[in-house]
């Protein structure tokens, strides 16, 4: 269950690393500790300024509402990540790899009541262990899953290997790309080449050139191959 294949709009298959149970539990406990710390600190602050339980509306507004909406608001406006998920380097995505909509986050959030509150997390773990797509009940209803962003590029993940020391770098701007971007470029390029998907290669070439700020004068396939070689040359060096 460590990997999950998604099909992009360009009919390219990409492997995603599913967040494992340890990563999701870590994110859950970090979020829990953050909410407990927030509750204690705001309670002390309200007590310090003289607001007692007679003003229950103040407690609900300052403490209860942010805690209640924490997961919904953060995942909606923070790229599918709560603070705990950010620390654990995991995020919520749709099963096709796209970003979830608000309604998807809302469904996941509403079903937290069953997944966690009513069953103390037992149902979430049970569904996760039986589901090959890393989904709890809320994920299944929203058609989402949680993936790990801990991806690293190595020689086996790129198309070319053992770039010679005499290799001449044509695009030094490749240094502007990060490991994650280069991994996706390598994967999509390899798949599109095998399946002879010229439109995918052209779209990937344009996007890569845009990220690097260059204007290639080769065909998309030749340009992408050169970029991958240049990147690996710098990595080897």
């Amino acid at each position: 269950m460590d990997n999950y294949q998604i099909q992009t709009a360009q009919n390219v298959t990409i492997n995603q690393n599913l967040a494992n149970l340890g990563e999701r539990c870590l994110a859950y406990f970090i979020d829990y500790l953050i909410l407990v710390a927030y509750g204690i600190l705001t309670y002390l602050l309200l007590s310090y300024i003289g607001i007692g339980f007679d003003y229950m509306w103040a407690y609900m507004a300052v403490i209860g509402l942010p805690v209640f909406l924490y997961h919904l608001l953060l995942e909606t406006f923070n790229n599918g990540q709560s603070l705990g998920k950010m620390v654990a380097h995991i995020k919520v995505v749709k099963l096709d790899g796209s970003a979830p909509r608000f309604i998807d986050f809302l469904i996941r959030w509403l079903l937290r009541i069953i997944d966690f509150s009513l069953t103390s997390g037992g149902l979430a773990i049970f569904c996760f262990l039986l589901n090959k797509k890393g989904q709890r009940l809320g994920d299944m209803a929203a058609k989402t899953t949680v993936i790990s962003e801990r991806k690293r590029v190595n020689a086996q993940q790129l198309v070319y290997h053992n770039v010679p020391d005499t290799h001449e770098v044509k695009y030094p701007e490749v240094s502007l790309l990060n490991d994650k971007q280069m991994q996706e470029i390598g994967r999509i390029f390899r798949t599109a080449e095998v399946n002879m998907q010229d439109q995918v290669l052209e779209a990937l070439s344009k996007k890569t050139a845009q990220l690097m700020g260059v204007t290639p004068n080769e065909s998309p396939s030749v340009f992408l191959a050169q970029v991958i070689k240049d990147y690996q040359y710098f990595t080897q060096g």
Side-chain angles (χ1 to χ4, degrees):
M1 194 175 58
D2 292 335
N3 295 289
Y4 173 64
Q5 288 190 336
I6 64 172
Q7 197 80 11
T8 69
Q10 294 79 24
N11 293 319
V12 176
T13 299
I14 298 177
N15 289 318
Q16 290 283 12
N17 294 325
L18 291 175
N20 59 44
L21 184 59
E23 290 171 325
R24 295 185 71 161
C25 287
L26 173 64
Y28 175 85
F29 284 115
I30 290 175
D31 287 328
Y32 176 77
L33 291 176
I34 288 173
L35 292 176
V36 170
Y38 171 80
I40 293 173
L41 290 175
T42 49
Y43 168 77
L44 294 175
L45 178 62
L46 290 174
S47 298
Y48 178 76
I49 61 179
I51 297 179
F53 282 106
D54 292 338
Y55 297 90
M56 184 58 67
W57 62 269
Y59 277 88
M60 293 300 298
V62 177
I63 300 179
L65 195 58
V67 171
F68 183 64
L69 298 175
Y70 170 82
H71 287 281
L72 176 63
L73 294 180
L74 270 182
E75 290 183 359
T76 300
F77 297 106
N78 192 40
N79 194 31
Q81 292 179 303
S82 63
L83 296 179
K85 286 184 173 66
M86 290 178 64
V87 174
H89 298 287
I90 61 178
K91 65 184 291 187
V92 180
V93 297
K94 293 287 286 183
L95 287 177
D96 63 1
S98 62
R101 300 166 299 168
F102 174 74
I103 186 64
D104 302 316
F105 290 120
L106 180 61
I107 292 172
R108 293 184 84 252
W109 177 71
L110 289 173
L111 288 175
R112 287 184 67 86
I113 298 174
I114 300 176
D115 277 330
F116 297 104
S117 301
L118 297 181
T119 62
S120 301
L123 181 59
I125 294 175
F126 178 77
C127 291
F128 176 88
L129 293 176
L130 292 184
N131 189 284
K132 295 182 179 180
K133 298 177 182 178
Q135 297 172 296
R136 62 175 175 85
L137 185 62
D139 287 313
M140 288 187 277
K143 296 182 180 180
T144 59
T145 188
V146 180
I147 63 171
S148 173
E149 294 187 306
R150 297 180 185 275
K151 297 178 180 178
R152 295 293 182 268
V153 173
N154 54 50
Q156 286 69 37
Q157 292 173 309
L158 296 176
V159 176
Y160 296 96
H161 311 289
N162 300 323
V163 177
D165 293 337
T166 57
H167 172 74
E168 293 185 8
V169 174
K170 185 173 182 179
Y171 295 104
E173 295 87 355
V174 74
S175 60
L176 297 174
L177 302 176
N178 59 41
D179 285 353
K180 183 179 179 181
Q181 290 171 325
M182 206 59 224
Q183 183 181 33
E184 294 304 309
I185 291 171
R187 284 177 173 173
I188 297 174
F189 175 66
R190 180 171 59 246
T191 304
E193 280 276 275
V194 171
N195 296 322
M196 294 182 289
Q197 297 170 313
D198 293 338
Q199 291 183 341
V200 175
L201 289 172
E202 184 175 356
L204 181 62
S205 175
K206 288 181 179 179
K207 183 61 177 179
T208 303
Q210 179 184 0
L211 291 172
M212 294 169 54
V214 300
T215 304
N217 52 15
E218 311 100 325
S219 68
S221 181
V222 173
F223 167 66
L224 292 168
Q226 181 69 42
V227 168
I228 293 172
K229 281 184 176 180
D230 290 348
Y231 182 83
Q232 187 161 350
Y233 177 79
F234 283 128
T235 303
Q236 291 178 173

